[in-house]
Amino acid sequence: MTAESALSVTSPDYSVLVVDHFHRPRNAGEFPPGPGIRRTQAGNRQAGAEVSLSVRIAGDTVAEVRFQAFGCPHFLAATSLATERLAGMPVEALGRWTAGELGRELGVPVEKRGRLLILEDAVRAAAQ
Amino acid sequence: MTAESALSVTSPDYSVLVVDHFHRPRNAGEFPPGPGIRRTQAGNRQAGAEVSLSVRIAGDTVAEVRFQAFGCPHFLAATSLATERLAGMPVEALGRWTAGELGRELGVPVEKRGRLLILEDAVRAAAQ
Amino acid sequence: MTTAAAPGTSSVYLDYAATTPVDPRVAALMCECLQSHDLCGNPSSTGHAFGRRARALVESARRQVAQLLNARPETIVWTSGATESNNLALLGAARFNASRGKHIVSARTEHKAVLDPLKRLEREGFSVTYLTPDRGGIVHPEQVVEALRPDTLLVSLMHVNNETGVVQDIGAVGAACRQRGILFHVDAAQSAGKVPIDVEALGVDLMSLTAHKVYGPKGVGALYLRRRPPLGLTPLIEGGGQEGGLRSGTLATHQIAGMGLAFELAASEGAADSARVAALRERLWQGIGTVGGVRLNGHPQQRIAGVLNVAFSDVEGESLQFSLRDLAVSAGAACSSESEEPSYVLRALGLSDAEARSSLRFSLGRFSTEADVDFAIGCVRREVPRLRGLAPGAAAPAS
Amino acid sequence: MTTAAAPGTSSVYLDYAATTPVDPRVAALMCECLQSHDLCGNPSSTGHAFGRRARALVESARRQVAQLLNARPETIVWTSGATESNNLALLGAARFNASRGKHIVSARTEHKAVLDPLKRLEREGFSVTYLTPDRGGIVHPEQVVEALRPDTLLVSLMHVNNETGVVQDIGAVGAACRQRGILFHVDAAQSAGKVPIDVEALGVDLMSLTAHKVYGPKGVGALYLRRRPPLGLTPLIEGGGQEGGLRSGTLATHQIAGMGLAFELAASEGAADSARVAALRERLWQGIGTVGGVRLNGHPQQRIAGVLNVAFSDVEGESLQFSLRDLAVSAGAACSSESEEPSYVLRALGLSDAEARSSLRFSLGRFSTEADVDFAIGCVRREVPRLRGLAPGAAAPAS
Ligand SMILES: Cc1ncc(COP(=O)(O)O)c(C=O)c1O
Ligand SMILES: Cc1ncc(COP(=O)(O)O)c(C=O)c1O
């Protein structure tokens, strides 16, 4: 064996922001179906990450977002934080939304960045 | 390896009698040459055990024995003890003297019994 | 990015199967050894009193450890722990006795400290049959017997599984091996002090032991090695010739003395510990059960008192762990290097990856209290429903 | 037969080269680890705070040990002592790199913990050249260079000899090896903390360390392993994957923390210790010299402060030892299993069997005092002339 890196500790470290959103998720839940409410879904439980968003649109703006999520702390926190960031955004912007900045802000480790694509999918799906 | 016995501690244990004679050897030294004095020698330093005895004969009896010795504690003690035991013995008995009993009394370990033969040689030589 | 502060020291230790706190009586003895000038000698320096006093402690500890197994002291070889003992037993016995046969029988649920040396032996030309336990984690003695071949040299089976606490019927396997002249190794890291052991009656030839699962120090263990008739082993570590040449290296007086006392205490108090711990575990199981959607991993009866491995349905494993981080419990393979992989032990019991990931091992021991258990129940009852409520498909909380 | 009582506890410890007392500061830290509930976790259980706190201690100790060698922390692999480190270094490097060559160069005066693994490698098809030192115990770098062959894979040379205290010119050998791409292993069990070490400057690839010669605990050591470029090793002990898979087994927090502090203390106090100890040794040598017929074994200058190996002429070895048993000194091969054989190290320096048997190693250290030395001188001056006076040919005492 020559594994140089294997000596480092790989314990998951969660940033303060992740811990905050994990414990006090913002906008958990869903809106009852109705006009101006869009529901999107991405991922699945077997793969370890699933999210459903419930987006209230007012005109061409995102008024409010609620979420339900199953996943690791980073995924839950990213979803919760996204609901805050999305509110007030033009609906058409959802289609090009990327999770990269959120990931950096939350300190999501590289090997988990892929999971954020599931969140991206759910957000982008709300553009239509 | 299957060495069953190798787990035992092989530290040298010396009996009280060995320790006593080692520290307070009886009859160390030699008589000045003269009538009635027989000197004998056995062993050699390179082999790790050497003894010389100086025996004062009175008539056909051993009057007194002195020794000089080089060797391990068991050998020194055995020689010292022998000088006590030999005094008063008929001279002709020296020729059949054996060190076995002494060895047992002193608790000389089996692997060292061979050294007592050197002492035996010196004692027996004094019979002539 | 700021990293969150470590959880408070208010956490409750429920990870006895990973390692136990050192019993205060053991720690006191070890501190005495470490601080005593009279005991500072090298136990091999039997030419002087400092060494002989140290050696006397080592030999008295050997008797204490042997006693717990109903073995003679000279069957005990000191090592640095059960990992080394397993390596020495398996590599040592297989290499020394390779001419007798090159087939080995073991199980998929063994500790890595057995599986990894077996993998090395496979690379050296041995072939290994890995038995799959039933859903309860039991490897049936008949399975072992069926797997035996004319060239079977060795069977290696753990006594108690470290993840599930399941106890194997070592005696039946031992009898079958003895009858056929096949060597039998048992990894007893998790059973010593918790389950009665009699190496003679169980027909064990080699048994791996460690101190740190029995309230002794980490970094010291032993290999029981049958001496009659003598059993040859190729040593792993040579030079100096300690332990009859089977394991060289300066004997660590304080560590060995600590292991000795820990094993003596296990002999006198192990049964009482187990009874008390079984009651605590039952309380914990009942309390956890109230959240619903939980399942016990491993056989419900054939198990030791202190381990409770629970699968929580409808929660993601990492979030479950993190939400319960005030509880020092284990997820996945315990007492080995951390890994992201789901437990291969639970997978061998038929759990899916997701089920294995959402399983936690609670393990209790001598110093666990009702308060610890109630705190754990409280955490589980608060967090598991909360996480489930966040998930898609859960009843929407009133908003 | 009644066995004589063990010598009184009035004895003086002069066997620091066999093992040192644990420094009280190290013992205090270890006791804290053993008794602290907060530190009771398995350092691999980084999923909870008990494990992470233990891990933090382990990693901080890794830095302390690395620092003494001017190495990076990730070059340090924890083991159970220098015996294991030597085995891991030699067997591990040779087996992993066998395709590069199967010739090894070492010396006849190495510790058994090097010689025995080399013997095993010889059985596995390696060939080993054992260099003979000069009468002073020095292995000259040119001897090493002359012994190198195109298929030389590895050179193993100890830094400081355990019996004589002689220091080898490791740097010159390291440079020669590096230039030729040959691996260089150094057994530094006796030098760490006593002689400045800089693995980079010395060109060392593998270095064996132990705690118990430097006022740390017995049963823990380390292997320094060059990481740039990476050097492959086949592990000896597998399962669990600790230490990057190079050395599996639960990390012993208290042991490792103790070694870390011991090495830090050696870094800050080693030079002062050596200066003080050198003065004590000189006093001892002068005092012993007054009995006449004594000779220093090993090079008079190229040596560490604490070791004085003295040949007494005209006294038998066992009687010499026994008469001086109030002094805890070593005869023959120290820090290895007791044996009746005369020291092979002294024999390699050209001493006869008898001379080797009549040699004693006095070794001093941090806690040695002038009173200890004077007591030792007193014993020697009383007993050596007494024994000599008993021998045939001595001047007859007045009777
Ligand atoms: C079943 C089993 N075997 C072996 C080991 C390894 O023992 P050690 O930590 O003493 O090396 C453990 C735990 O660590 C274990 O649970
Ligand atoms: C030079 C040398 N190498 C190796 C060792 C073995 O070290 P340990 O006792 O830590 O196994 C010793 C002493 O015991 C030694 O003096």
Side-chain angles (χ1 to χ4, degrees):
Chain A
M1 306 222 170
T2 55
E4 172 123 359
S5 63
L7 287 180
S8 66
V9 184
T10 62
S11 96
D13 275 322
Y14 304 102
S15 67
V16 171
L17 197 58
V18 168
V19 174
D20 180 29
H21 279 268
F22 180 81
H23 283 293
R24 300 188 302 114
R26 322 295 199 265
N27 308 307
E30 54 182 342
F31 296 113
I37 303 298
R38 292 191 191 163
R39 304 202 53 197
T40 65
Q41 197 279 341
N44 67 72
R45 219 164 267 220
Q46 283 61 49
E50 180 184 6
V51 59
S52 88
L53 297 179
S54 176
V55 182
R56 189 162 68 73
I57 312 271
D60 48 12
T61 301
V62 174
E64 247 184 301
V65 185
R66 296 219 173 137
F67 80 95
Q68 294 185 300
F70 176 95
C72 72
H74 289 111
F75 186 72
L76 298 181
T79 306
S80 164
L81 183 58
T83 63
E84 293 190 329
R85 298 292 159 85
L86 295 172
M89 214 179 250
V91 173
E92 52 85 26
L94 294 180
R96 334 173 225 107
W97 188 81
T98 59
E101 200 189 314
L102 223 71
R104 277 186 295 277
E105 206 177 326
L106 289 162
V108 176
V110 190
E111 64 277 17
K112 283 188 170 181
R113 294 277 163 91
R115 297 193 196 165
L116 297 185
L117 298 180
I118 294 171
L119 175 58
E120 252 180 54
D121 286 350
V123 171
R124 292 185 179 192
Q128 281 94 47
Chain B
M1 306 222 170
T2 54
E4 172 123 0
S5 62
L7 286 181
S8 67
V9 184
T10 62
S11 95
D13 275 322
Y14 304 102
S15 67
V16 171
L17 198 57
V18 169
V19 174
D20 179 28
H21 280 268
F22 180 80
H23 283 295
R24 300 187 304 113
R26 323 295 199 264
N27 308 307
E30 55 182 342
F31 296 112
I37 304 299
R38 291 191 191 164
R39 304 202 51 197
T40 66
Q41 198 277 339
N44 67 71
R45 218 163 266 217
Q46 283 60 48
E50 182 184 4
V51 59
S52 88
L53 296 179
S54 176
V55 183
R56 190 164 66 76
I57 311 272
D60 47 12
T61 302
V62 174
E64 247 185 301
V65 185
R66 296 221 172 134
F67 81 95
Q68 295 184 302
F70 176 96
C72 73
H74 289 110
F75 186 72
L76 297 181
T79 305
S80 164
L81 182 59
T83 62
E84 292 189 331
R85 297 291 159 85
L86 295 172
M89 211 178 253
V91 172
E92 52 85 25
L94 293 181
R96 339 174 220 102
W97 187 80
T98 59
E101 199 189 315
L102 225 70
R104 278 186 295 278
E105 205 176 328
L106 289 162
V108 176
V110 191
E111 65 276 17
K112 282 188 169 183
R113 294 277 164 92
R115 295 190 198 168
L116 297 186
L117 299 180
I118 294 171
L119 175 56
E120 253 179 54
D121 286 349
V123 170
R124 291 185 180 193
Q128 284 96 46
Chain C
M1 161 200 153
T2 326
T3 295
T9 47
S10 69
S11 14
V12 160
Y13 192 74
L14 293 170
D15 208 7
Y16 278 74
T19 192
T20 56
V22 177
D23 188 289
R25 294 163 289 185
V26 171
L29 172 66
M30 292 178 65
C31 292
E32 200 185 310
C33 287
L34 288 167
Q35 288 164 339
S36 157
H37 181 59
D38 284 351
L39 295 172
C40 78
N42 188 319
S44 292
S45 301
T46 49
H48 55 67
F50 295 90
R52 279 196 299 269
R53 284 185 294 256
R55 171 55 75 111
L57 276 186
V58 166
E59 296 311 320
S60 129
R62 206 187 295 276
R63 287 189 292 274
Q64 289 168 312
V65 169
Q67 193 122 45
L68 190 73
L69 314 180
N70 190 33
R72 288 179 304 128
E74 61 271 29
T75 59
I76 300 300
V77 176
W78 301 116
T79 68
S80 65
T83 299
E84 183 184 339
S85 298
N86 283 340
N87 277 263
L88 175 57
L90 298 169
L91 301 174
R95 289 171 182 166
F96 190 95
N97 299 290
S99 61
R100 288 168 53 184
K102 299 194 104 180
H103 177 240
I104 298 171
V105 176
S106 189
R108 285 176 59 200
T109 42
E110 293 295 308
H111 193 270
K112 287 280 183 198
V114 163
L115 297 177
D116 284 357
L118 289 180
K119 264 190 240 155
R120 180 153 301 275
L121 288 172
E122 290 187 88
R123 266 173 274 149
E124 294 180 11
F126 288 82
S127 78
V128 183
T129 302
Y130 298 95
L131 302 172
T132 300
D134 67 17
R135 273 198 76 93
I138 307 288
V139 176
H140 296 274
E142 313 85 69
Q143 288 178 272
V144 176
V145 171
E146 274 164 34
L148 297 178
R149 307 194 316 213
D151 64 336
T152 303
L153 170 65
L154 174 70
V155 171
S156 179
L157 202 61
M158 72 201 310
H159 198 177
V160 166
N161 184 273
N162 48 305
E163 294 196 35
T164 60
V166 163
V167 184
Q168 304 294 352
D169 185 355
I170 290 306
V173 176
C177 289
R178 195 136 283 189
Q179 205 184 334
R180 292 163 177 82
I182 292 169
L183 298 178
F184 184 35
H185 167 251
V186 174
D187 177 350
Q190 293 283 353
S191 63
K194 286 158 205 150
V195 175
I197 296 180
D198 180 328
V199 283
E200 297 293 341
L202 293 170
V204 172
D205 298 308
L206 296 149
M207 180 174 272
S208 300
L209 303 166
T210 192
H212 76 97
K213 312 278 189 191
V214 203
Y215 315 103
K218 300 175 185 47
V220 60
L223 179 64
Y224 161 82
L225 170 67
R226 183 197 76 199
R227 293 286 186 173
R228 285 187 193 150
L231 194 171
L233 282 192
T234 301
L236 283 182
I237 297 176
E238 295 177 279
Q242 288 88 349
E243 300 298 280
L246 288 170
R247 207 305 191 162
S248 293
T250 296
L251 294 165
T253 320
H254 64 295
Q255 294 278 92
I256 291 170
M259 178 161 178
L261 180 54
F263 271 56
E264 182 178 311
L265 292 173
S268 58
E269 303 178 7
D273 282 346
S274 289
R276 211 180 57 82
V277 163
L280 289 176
R281 182 204 57 193
E282 203 43 40
R283 183 186 185 94
L284 179 60
W285 176 232
Q286 296 304 332
I288 288 176
T290 60
V291 303
V294 296
R295 216 185 58 204
L296 180 69
N297 292 322
H299 194 284
Q301 279 86 44
Q302 209 170 315
R303 56 196 298 102
I304 57 165
V307 174
L308 196 64
N309 195 315
V310 181
F312 291 86
S313 66
D314 300 316
V315 276
E316 190 273 341
E318 190 184 327
S319 281
L320 176 68
Q321 281 169 55
F322 186 57
S323 71
L324 297 180
R325 72 191 184 288
D326 284 343
L327 304 182
V329 296
S330 252
C335 58
S336 64
S337 196
E338 52 292 314
S339 89
E340 300 285 303
E341 293 299 301
S343 155
Y344 67 88
V345 170
L346 297 181
R347 298 284 287 116
L349 268 59
L351 274 72
S352 71
D353 265 18
E355 287 170 322
R357 278 192 221 274
S358 300
S359 293
L360 289 181
R361 180 187 70 186
F362 301 79
S363 54
L364 301 94
R366 187 175 288 165
F367 310 111
S368 299
T369 61
E370 283 199 1
D372 292 346
V373 166
D374 293 346
F375 181 85
I377 294 171
C379 292
V380 168
R381 291 179 65 166
R382 186 180 67 238
E383 292 297 325
V384 171
R386 185 177 83 80
L387 288 173
R388 286 177 178 161
L390 276 181
S399 63
Chain D
M1 163 198 150
T2 325
T3 293
T9 46
S10 70
S11 17
V12 161
Y13 192 73
L14 293 170
D15 207 7
Y16 278 74
T19 191
T20 56
V22 177
D23 189 288
R25 293 163 290 184
V26 171
L29 172 66
M30 292 178 64
C31 292
E32 202 185 310
C33 287
L34 289 167
Q35 288 164 339
S36 157
H37 182 59
D38 284 350
L39 295 172
C40 78
N42 189 319
S44 292
S45 302
T46 49
H48 55 67
F50 295 90
R52 278 196 300 270
R53 283 185 295 256
R55 171 56 74 111
L57 276 187
V58 166
E59 296 312 320
S60 130
R62 205 187 296 277
R63 287 188 293 275
Q64 290 169 312
V65 170
Q67 193 123 45
L68 190 73
L69 313 180
N70 189 34
R72 288 180 303 128
E74 62 270 30
T75 59
I76 301 300
V77 175
W78 300 116
T79 67
S80 65
T83 299
E84 182 184 339
S85 298
N86 283 340
N87 277 263
L88 175 57
L90 297 170
L91 301 174
R95 289 172 181 165
F96 190 95
N97 299 289
S99 61
R100 287 168 54 185
K102 298 195 104 180
H103 177 240
I104 298 170
V105 176
S106 189
R108 286 176 60 200
T109 42
E110 293 295 308
H111 193 270
K112 286 280 184 200
V114 163
L115 297 177
D116 284 357
L118 289 180
K119 266 191 240 154
R120 180 153 303 275
L121 288 172
E122 288 186 88
R123 266 173 273 149
E124 294 179 12
F126 289 82
S127 79
V128 183
T129 302
Y130 298 96
L131 301 171
T132 300
D134 67 17
R135 274 199 75 95
I138 308 288
V139 176
H140 296 275
E142 312 85 71
Q143 287 179 273
V144 175
V145 171
E146 274 163 37
L148 298 178
R149 308 193 317 211
D151 64 336
T152 303
L153 170 65
L154 173 70
V155 171
S156 179
L157 202 61
M158 74 203 307
H159 198 177
V160 167
N161 184 273
N162 48 306
E163 294 195 35
T164 60
V166 163
V167 183
Q168 303 295 352
D169 185 354
I170 289 307
V173 176
C177 289
R178 195 134 283 190
Q179 204 185 335
R180 292 165 177 82
I182 293 169
L183 298 177
F184 184 35
H185 167 252
V186 173
D187 178 349
Q190 294 283 352
S191 64
K194 286 159 206 151
V195 175
I197 296 180
D198 179 328
V199 282
E200 297 293 340
L202 294 170
V204 171
D205 298 308
L206 296 149
M207 182 176 271
S208 301
L209 303 166
T210 192
H212 76 97
K213 313 276 189 192
V214 204
Y215 315 103
K218 300 175 187 41
V220 61
L223 178 64
Y224 161 82
L225 170 68
R226 184 197 76 199
R227 293 286 185 173
R228 286 190 193 145
L231 195 170
L233 283 192
T234 301
L236 282 181
I237 297 177
E238 295 177 279
Q242 288 90 348
E243 300 298 281
L246 288 171
R247 206 306 190 164
S248 293
T250 296
L251 294 166
T253 321
H254 65 293
Q255 294 278 91
I256 290 171
M259 178 162 177
L261 179 55
F263 271 57
E264 182 178 312
L265 292 173
S268 58
E269 303 179 4
D273 281 346
S274 288
R276 211 180 57 82
V277 163
L280 288 177
R281 182 203 60 191
E282 202 44 38
R283 182 187 187 94
L284 179 60
W285 177 231
Q286 296 302 331
I288 288 176
T290 60
V291 303
V294 297
R295 217 185 58 203
L296 180 68
N297 292 321
H299 194 282
Q301 280 85 46
Q302 209 171 314
R303 57 195 298 105
I304 56 165
V307 174
L308 196 64
N309 195 314
V310 181
F312 291 88
S313 66
D314 300 314
V315 277
E316 191 274 340
E318 189 185 328
S319 282
L320 175 69
Q321 282 169 54
F322 186 58
S323 71
L324 296 180
R325 71 190 184 290
D326 284 343
L327 303 182
V329 296
S330 253
C335 54
S336 62
S337 195
E338 51 292 316
S339 89
E340 299 286 302
E341 293 299 300
S343 156
Y344 67 87
V345 170
L346 298 181
R347 297 283 288 119
L349 268 58
L351 273 72
S352 71
D353 266 18
E355 287 170 323
R357 279 192 219 274
S358 301
S359 293
L360 290 179
R361 179 187 70 185
F362 301 80
S363 54
L364 301 94
R366 188 175 287 165
F367 310 111
S368 299
T369 62
E370 282 199 3
D372 292 346
V373 166
D374 292 346
F375 182 84
I377 295 171
C379 292
V380 168
R381 292 179 66 166
R382 186 181 66 240
E383 293 297 325
V384 172
R386 185 178 81 79
L387 290 173
R388 286 177 177 162
L390 276 181
S399 62

